[in-house]
Amino acid sequence: MIGYDDIEAATRRVTGGTRPVALAHAGERLWFALEFLQHTGTFKARGALNFTAAHRESGTIPAAGLTIASGGNAGLACAWAAGRQGVPATVFVPETAPGVKVARLRRLGADVRRVGREYAEAAEACAAFTAANGALGSHAYDDPLIAAGAGTLLPEILAARPSIGTVVVAVGGGGLFAGVAAAAERHGVRVVAVEPEGSRALNAALEAGAPVDVPVRSVAADSLGARRVSAEALHWARRPHTTSVLVRDQDITAARRLLWDEHRIAVEHGAAAAYAGALSSPSPAETCVVLCGANTDPSDLA
């Protein structure tokens, strides 16, 4: 399991390469962390940069470059980080990946392979490619370097607003949650992990006592569509400073609409899930909602 020393090491690697998070006041005792302003449009850039920088330090990036399976956002971050290292990136996405994400992957120079209807099928194809090609396989969420990189967000939030007592994050496979929860424990901050009812890998793992496969049926499945949560995320979900919350698809859609109507913020349904969780389970403490991604087509908000 990652510890705070891993977060500190990741901070040293990514500082100067990622954009420091900006906070916006959103209401009484409520703040938004505008992480959708990060490189490639999501927090994923933090983990991808930490991953590539660590492998550069150890001399383990092959000429074949990097490969990853992704719903889109982790692939974008991987392609961006690979470009910084001057190596190729091969990204496997499900056929259901939004066109806006696929187009941006290609603009970043990635070799995009569309396989299957779900992330898990793309991951199987990526694993076969890695074995045959010799590329360095990254992971969308289940890697300590990826999770620790994501965790660099929490100290930045507290540096900007030390009075924050609760941080709310959306959960797919659990990389962002694990990293933020690992950092939050050191600082005495509560973390709320929000998932769609139709894509509840972390919540189901808590019930089962181990990571289990779940069906994926949600409006937010393109970014929160992991069938199985990481063991790292489950470890942190069992800690007393974390809470699991489920939200309905209609509440996610309403929260996304509210973000646009009231704040003129256009985010993915996955990012809106965190806001839906904050609205359904308000905290008495000063709260920061992580708006983690904006790789979306905003035309339906017009």
Side-chain angles (χ1 to χ4, degrees):
M1 299 299 110
I2 61 172
Y4 200 73
D5 56 337
D6 298 301
I7 308 293
E8 292 177 319
T11 297
R12 290 192 294 271
R13 294 189 189 106
V14 307
T15 296
T18 55
R19 294 170 177 154
V21 69
L23 265 58
H25 188 232
E28 185 178 1
R29 301 191 311 277
L30 184 65
W31 295 79
F32 292 149
L34 308 182
E35 188 63 359
F36 61 85
L37 299 176
Q38 190 54 261
H39 293 291
T40 74
T42 75
F43 74 95
K44 298 280 190 179
R46 296 175 180 271
L49 187 57
N50 187 45
F51 179 87
T52 56
H55 281 282
R56 181 194 61 218
E57 291 170 2
S58 62
T60 51
I61 297 180
L66 307 180
T67 187
I68 191 170
S70 166
N73 286 338
L76 287 166
C78 179
W80 169 77
R84 289 175 62 93
Q85 299 296 329
V87 297
T90 304
V91 180
F92 290 79
V93 299
E95 294 167 2
T96 52
V100 64
K101 296 183 181 181
V102 173
R104 195 169 184 195
L105 277 167
R106 289 176 174 145
R107 287 198 299 273
L108 285 168
D111 177 3
V112 182
R113 313 282 181 93
R114 304 185 81 164
V115 179
R117 299 289 298 172
E118 294 182 13
Y119 163 78
E121 295 170 279
E124 290 173 3
C126 182
F129 175 84
T130 302
N133 179 272
L136 174 62
S138 184
H139 198 280
Y141 56 88
D142 195 3
D143 183 285
L145 291 170
I146 297 295
T152 62
L153 175 62
L154 191 281
E156 291 181 13
I157 289 172
L158 295 180
R161 188 73 183 174
S163 53
I164 295 292
T166 298
V167 173
V168 184
V169 299
V171 178
L176 175 62
F177 166 70
V180 167
E185 186 172 64
R186 170 66 65 92
H187 293 280
V189 171
R190 177 172 173 256
V191 182
V192 179
V194 184
E195 296 174 282
E197 288 181 346
S199 185
R200 52 183 288 270
L202 179 63
N203 187 266
L206 281 169
E207 286 184 357
V212 292
D213 285 347
V214 297
V216 176
R217 292 186 297 269
S218 171
V219 68
D222 65 303
S223 55
L224 306 181
R227 282 188 197 169
R228 178 180 288 241
V229 79
S230 69
E232 182 90 44
L234 177 58
H235 166 79
W236 290 106
R238 288 169 162 163
R239 304 294 291 170
H241 71 296
T242 70
T243 304
S244 170
V245 170
L246 299 178
V247 292
R248 302 175 303 169
D249 270 7
Q250 54 263 48
D251 295 325
I252 294 172
T253 301
R256 183 171 177 265
R257 166 59 64 180
L258 187 62
L259 284 166
W260 175 250
D261 288 343
E262 298 296 326
H263 303 281
R264 280 300 185 258
I265 293 174
V267 296
E268 301 172 35
H269 287 94
Y275 189 34
L279 293 172
S280 67
S281 303
S283 169
E286 193 164 352
T287 298
C288 181
V289 178
V290 178
L291 300 180
C292 56
N295 290 316
T296 187
D297 181 352
S299 61
D300 61 337
L301 295 170

